[in-house]
Amino acid sequence: MKRILCLLLAALFCIGAFCSCDINQKPVTLEDSIPIPEDGIISASIFEKIKSENKVVTFYATSGDVRYEWTVFGSDIEHPADKNLAVEIFGETDSAVSFRLLSEEALGFSPVLSLYLTDVWNAQSATVYQKSNAGLSPVCSASVTGSKTSVLNFSVTETGSFTVLADDGEETTAAVETAPESTADVPVQSDPYLSEGTQSSGRILSDGKQSGQDQYKTDPVPAGKPLPVEPEDQNIDEKQTYTCTFSIECSSILNNLSDLVPEKLDVLPKNGVIFSAETVTFYEGESVFDVLQRICQENNIHMEASWTPIYNSAYVEGIHNLYEFDCGSGSGWMYRVNGWYPNYGCSRYQLSQGDTVEWRYTCDLGADIGGAYAINPE
Amino acid sequence: MQYADAFGSYHPIVNFLYFCLIFAVSMLLQHPVFLLISLFSAIWYYITLKGRKAAGLLLRGILPLLLITVIINPAFSHAGQTRLCYLPTGNPLTLESILYGCAAGIMLSAILLWFACFSEVITSDKFVYLFGRIIPAMSLVLSMTLRFVPRFKAQFDHVREVQAAFGRDTSNGPLLKRIRNAVACFSIVVTWSMENALETADSMKSRGYGTARRTAYSIYRFEERDKTALCFLIFCGLFLLCGGISGNLYWRFFPNIRGTLTQPITVMLEFVYLILCIMPVYIDRREAAFWKKSLQLNS
């Protein structure tokens, strides 16, 4: 009896010692959103409270018809002080908006500023430019989300006047079409119905004439978009390397913080970016999923996927511990290549030189990140 | 009257409330210290109740269950911030999912052991006493069913011995023949049980079952010690409830391990729960010591 007692006590102490290393750290909690007063001044005591209780707070107000929101993380604040969070927004069109931070000095930390526009921007992404005497200089990029009207999310460190301009969609397409040096030795599989049948790694583009679903329940692929390839047919050739632009972001969660499972606030990146856009290398025959898996492993980003035989593809359940259904019943991960959300699994999308791959988190079955058509074609 | 132990001789309401409280805390809390306290006291109480026979269930039932849960969870759950390595499927093996598996295994084993103790302490007559008035039909059916299982088993053994005596052995001989003999035994016992059910029904009818409200004979008295025990249970229940509501029993495994462990109030709650869990064993020990002392005084 005594022996059992001793053993159990020992186990208890071991686990206690093991866990005590970080469990006493306060988990991040969500505070209700706070309206910004007329003069925009948020007092130091509020920041002090957010910092000490490790909270996430959104401060909101409207300027004209545009609502804006600051998402402040307690762990981000270094020196609590009175800050002016007022923003003046003007000159809104369907591809540009200007705003001015009324604060005279920089905030000292970089919360995400979300602008809830009244228009719908027909753009994949946007860039924030700072206005100065010398003209416009790019500061950072902004993510475009929102289902009915667009929401811009970005974080600026400086104060002053800024302009957000929608990125020209042409540029990314141009990048795809510049033929890389590797085209020459790839066998051409041309489709008689297509004038420009192949792409750099020999993928076939859809002619838009298919009807009905294929054997893995994929609806017809729109004309000009690559057809799915089966992962079991692909041979990965590590000698042939290409590059693509890769990013993982979840800024839509910042616009839907109240739906997020509270425990996940701890793993939510402050600026909504898990892996910022970077040019990465991939090998001949690799799919979007192969690249995602490798990048996550190389950069120590958590990722869980499960193989789904009926779609013949891996299904990405969670990245960075942000899982499907964590931010409402319509939430999960989607991927976009060159501005198009494919309507088939990521293991069946074969990458090609110069592709832009974006993994984005949706809170509304793709509608808030411009990808509802991939889930429901009507 | 024969009781399982000294705690079992308390009023059935005290026994029942005690187990309800223990089940609720063991099932609702994920806090590892509470789970360990629960498991440790359940093992101790079960050994006190069953003596050496306890080893069978502990080693053959509980230990494999615990190990299987610990292994299975990290194989299917990959959430958690602390990555240890990658599994062949490409998914990460995380520390959080391993520890969660341990906690789930401990919770499952503790609850199973507490149920084993429950069935020893709350005998069917106590059960009928407790629920006879609220749900008379249900408690009658339940007590009859509970009684049926051991009775069926005893009858089966009996029939098997008789059959073996005239050559229809179920433990020796070719496999096919043994199976045939066992099936024959089973058919005999099923026939017997049906006949027995009819007899029971006749017997109940002849005694006027259903003609008037049934009364039950019981000899339970609510004594001073029951009052003390009940007060203690209510105190523990309220204290733990307050602790839970105030967030001092918070514990989570995903996405990272966070919880309360060294706060004074948490330690106090743990201490109270430990006392609650070892209460039956303590009552037993005290009774045994008291008995021993009175024997010494008399001699």
Side-chain angles (χ1 to χ4, degrees):
Chain A
M1 191 55 61
K2 267 184 191 157
R3 204 173 288 166
I4 295 173
L5 213 149
C6 289
L7 266 173
L8 278 160
L9 275 179
L12 205 149
F13 278 118
C14 286
I15 291 184
F18 184 57
C19 294
S20 60
C21 40
D22 68 337
I23 59 119
N24 283 322
Q25 203 178 314
K26 261 207 175 109
V28 182
T29 47
L30 182 68
E31 174 91 8
D32 286 336
S33 21
I34 299 174
I36 301 172
E38 285 286 309
D39 59 355
I41 306 285
I42 303 291
S43 69
S45 62
I46 293 178
F47 286 115
E48 183 65 54
K49 186 173 168 254
I50 298 169
K51 183 180 158 69
S52 65
E53 291 176 17
N54 203 4
K55 285 187 180 292
V56 182
V57 181
T58 51
F59 295 99
Y60 67 94
T62 49
S63 166
D65 291 335
V66 180
R67 177 191 158 95
Y68 61 92
E69 240 179 47
W70 295 91
T71 308
V72 178
F73 278 72
S75 53
D76 214 17
I77 303 168
E78 276 174 23
H79 309 290
D82 287 359
K83 304 277 183 196
N84 188 344
L85 292 184
V87 181
E88 190 190 336
I89 300 160
F90 50 92
E92 191 201 343
T93 66
D94 65 351
S95 63
V97 68
S98 297
F99 66 92
R100 189 164 67 88
L101 303 185
L102 299 181
S103 172
E104 274 161 24
E105 59 201 46
L107 291 174
F109 57 103
S110 48
V112 167
L113 178 61
S114 308
L115 304 182
Y116 290 77
L117 304 174
T118 50
D119 264 338
V120 183
W121 282 24
N122 193 16
Q124 313 292 346
S125 61
T127 308
V128 184
Y129 297 90
Q130 183 155 25
K131 277 188 225 168
S132 60
N133 298 335
L136 294 179
S137 54
V139 185
C140 60
S141 64
S143 79
V144 183
T145 62
S147 38
K148 295 210 173 64
T149 54
S150 294
V151 183
L152 304 175
N153 297 301
F154 50 85
S155 58
V156 286
T157 44
E158 299 295 307
T159 186
S161 287
F162 300 88
T163 297
V164 190
L165 294 174
D167 287 341
D168 213 346
E170 298 301 311
E171 258 176 72
T172 42
T173 339
V176 180
E177 271 152 13
T178 25
E181 63 279 13
S182 52
T183 19
D185 34 274
V186 177
V188 175
Q189 299 168 277
S190 73
D191 188 312
Y193 297 103
L194 269 179
S195 49
E196 10 140 38
T198 60
Q199 289 250 317
S200 49
S201 57
R203 70 179 169 194
I204 305 168
L205 297 183
S206 168
D207 54 5
K209 287 178 185 160
Q210 308 141 285
S211 58
Q213 295 186 329
D214 75 355
Q215 56 167 327
Y216 298 118
K217 303 195 169 198
T218 301
D219 283 322
V221 177
K225 302 298 179 194
L227 289 169
V229 295
E230 306 315 329
E232 62 271 17
D233 301 339
Q234 298 305 310
N235 296 316
I236 292 166
D237 177 12
E238 296 208 359
K239 279 182 212 124
Q240 189 71 271
T241 62
Y242 303 97
T243 56
C244 66
T245 312
F246 200 92
S247 62
I248 308 172
E249 64 104 35
C250 58
S251 56
S252 65
I253 297 180
L254 296 174
N255 307 136
N256 295 283
L257 276 179
S258 55
D259 291 339
L260 186 68
V261 177
E263 287 88 53
K264 302 288 175 147
L265 284 167
D266 263 23
V267 289
L268 184 65
K270 291 181 186 71
N271 54 359
V273 177
I274 291 168
F275 184 79
S276 55
E278 208 173 277
T279 305
V280 298
T281 306
F282 69 95
Y283 307 116
E284 170 76 44
E286 276 196 322
S287 65
V288 170
F289 178 72
D290 295 327
V291 180
L292 172 72
Q293 192 167 41
R294 195 177 55 241
I295 285 186
C296 286
Q297 295 193 357
E298 278 171 3
N299 294 282
N300 208 359
I301 299 169
H302 167 273
M303 195 273 287
E304 179 176 349
S306 59
W307 181 258
T308 319
I310 55 162
Y311 300 121
N312 199 33
S313 170
Y315 172 69
V316 176
E317 294 173 31
I319 304 177
H320 204 258
N321 272 300
L322 293 164
Y323 276 73
E324 49 173 341
F325 312 130
D326 271 356
C327 194
S329 57
S331 61
W333 285 99
M334 291 179 76
Y335 73 108
R336 178 162 77 174
V337 188
N338 303 330
W340 178 62
Y341 289 97
N343 56 347
Y344 44 85
C346 58
S347 296
R348 298 172 75 203
Y349 194 106
Q350 196 185 2
L351 279 173
S352 153
Q353 169 64 32
D355 279 349
T356 304
V357 183
E358 292 159 278
W359 279 91
R360 306 184 83 194
Y361 195 86
T362 174
C363 300
D364 187 19
L365 294 173
D368 56 343
I369 51 169
Y373 56 82
I375 292 165
N376 189 357
E378 287 91 45
Chain B
M1 180 163 297
Q2 196 74 45
Y3 292 112
D5 65 332
F7 177 65
S9 72
Y10 276 60
H11 195 270
I13 286 198
V14 175
N15 293 160
F16 189 73
L17 275 180
Y18 174 80
F19 280 108
C20 283
L21 192 60
I22 292 284
F23 289 147
V25 175
S26 314
M27 284 182 201
L28 293 176
L29 289 188
Q30 279 197 323
H31 203 290
V33 176
F34 280 77
L35 290 177
L36 282 174
I37 289 174
S38 192
L39 180 67
F40 153 75
S41 354
I43 292 174
W44 199 4
Y45 190 31
Y46 192 66
I47 291 173
T48 320
L49 284 172
K50 298 283 271 187
R52 282 197 176 193
K53 277 190 235 161
L57 179 75
L58 285 175
L59 291 177
R60 259 177 275 149
I62 301 298
L63 199 65
L65 183 84
L66 192 75
L67 292 178
I68 286 170
T69 331
V70 170
I71 295 164
I72 279 185
N73 190 61
F76 291 98
S77 148
H78 310 287
Q81 260 186 338
T82 324
R83 199 200 71 224
L84 299 177
C85 64
Y86 282 103
L87 296 172
T89 55
N91 285 326
L93 174 70
T94 62
L95 178 68
E96 284 83 358
S97 67
I98 293 176
L99 290 179
Y100 182 78
C102 294
I106 289 174
M107 186 193 275
L108 205 60
S109 333
I111 288 169
L112 277 177
L113 280 170
W114 279 119
F115 265 108
C117 297
F118 176 87
S119 65
E120 289 293 317
V121 172
I122 309 274
T123 46
S124 64
D125 55 327
K126 282 187 188 175
F127 198 83
V128 173
Y129 171 76
L130 283 169
F131 292 102
R133 288 198 200 140
I134 315 167
I135 32 172
M138 183 69 191
S139 66
L140 181 73
V141 167
L142 208 71
S143 71
M144 279 169 79
T145 323
L146 289 176
R147 179 162 152 57
F148 176 75
V149 176
R151 209 168 162 210
F152 189 88
K153 198 168 164 268
Q155 186 68 16
F156 188 85
D157 288 342
H158 188 70
V159 170
R160 202 179 54 194
E161 272 170 23
V162 174
Q163 294 281 316
F166 55 84
R168 290 201 199 156
D169 204 344
T170 53
S171 50
N172 285 310
L175 185 72
L176 205 69
K177 207 178 169 193
R178 270 158 61 196
I179 291 173
R180 199 180 296 151
N181 291 344
V183 169
C185 279
F186 187 72
S187 133
I188 293 167
V189 184
V190 168
T191 320
W192 164 83
S193 74
M194 285 176 178
E195 206 180 302
N196 197 52
L198 285 177
E199 261 174 37
T200 311
D202 282 345
S203 158
M204 282 167 76
K205 204 175 176 186
S206 67
R207 281 155 212 218
Y209 179 80
T211 50
R213 203 184 154 80
R214 247 154 47 87
T215 56
Y217 169 70
S218 60
I219 49 159
Y220 304 112
R221 275 194 306 141
F222 200 78
E223 294 166 28
E224 202 57 36
R225 57 171 195 170
D226 297 313
K227 215 181 270 176
T228 321
L230 199 63
C231 287
F232 178 68
L233 288 186
I234 291 169
F235 158 73
C236 287
L238 286 178
F239 191 53
L240 289 167
L241 188 71
C242 294
I245 291 170
S246 66
N248 281 303
L249 297 175
Y250 180 77
W251 193 274
R252 72 155 191 238
F253 286 95
F254 299 113
N256 45 16
I257 295 174
R258 289 282 180 276
T260 50
L261 193 70
T262 48
Q263 280 88 331
I265 185 84
T266 310
V267 175
M268 253 163 79
L269 284 160
E270 283 159 6
F271 186 67
V272 166
Y273 186 60
L274 179 68
I275 293 174
L276 177 72
C277 279
I278 59 172
M279 185 179 108
V281 179
Y282 168 72
I283 290 172
D284 257 21
R285 290 286 162 103
R286 196 184 57 179
E287 199 96 337
F290 184 72
W291 184 241
K292 208 169 155 191
K293 209 168 144 194
S294 60
L295 277 182
Q296 276 169 357
L297 281 178
N298 285 341
S299 62

